[in-house]
Amino acid sequence: MSFEFAEEVGRFVAKDAQGLEVGEVTFSRDGENVIVIDHTGIDPAQRGQGLAEELVRLVVEKAKKEGLKIVPLCSYAKKEFDKKTEYKEVLAEK
């Protein structure tokens, strides 16, 4: 199945071939240079297809392009940051 990903205000969304939203990652700004990922959610029928992983990756790419750091508050985003050493460069200092 193919999915389309789009950035909206404060989130990235995944949509299926019919244009229905099947996943999202939400984030907010904390000051000028920090993004806080606070939620990742995928429709239960669409889990296991890498959607959440791709949504978190899109936030990481946004941070890299815009020179921002990320605080991964949501448990899924935290796991992705723990697994992927390439994300460390955008991880906000604690």
Side-chain angles (χ1 to χ4, degrees):
M1 182 174 276
S2 66
F3 298 95
E4 182 179 308
F5 298 90
E7 183 175 2
E8 296 180 355
V9 176
R11 69 187 196 140
F12 281 93
V13 296
K15 295 182 180 181
D16 67 12
Q18 288 76 40
L20 298 173
E21 188 176 307
V22 294
E24 72 172 352
V25 60
T26 61
F27 56 88
S28 58
R29 294 297 276 266
D30 183 15
E32 286 187 32
N33 301 316
V34 177
I35 294 174
V36 178
I37 299 176
D38 51 24
H39 170 73
T40 305
I42 304 298
D43 181 316
Q46 302 299 333
R47 290 187 182 154
Q49 299 185 65
L51 292 174
E53 181 178 5
E54 178 64 11
L55 289 165
V56 171
R57 187 193 68 76
L58 289 168
V59 180
V60 170
E61 289 303 312
K62 174 183 178 65
K64 287 179 181 179
K65 280 188 233 165
E66 297 179 16
L68 304 171
K69 296 294 185 178
I70 296 175
V71 174
L73 281 185
C74 112
S75 60
Y76 183 83
K78 275 184 189 174
K79 282 191 261 182
E80 285 297 290
F81 272 77
D82 289 343
K83 282 193 314 193
K84 297 194 164 108
T85 56
E86 65 270 25
Y87 287 4
K88 300 295 185 224
E89 69 184 88
V90 295
L91 183 62
E93 297 295 320
K94 296 184 181 186

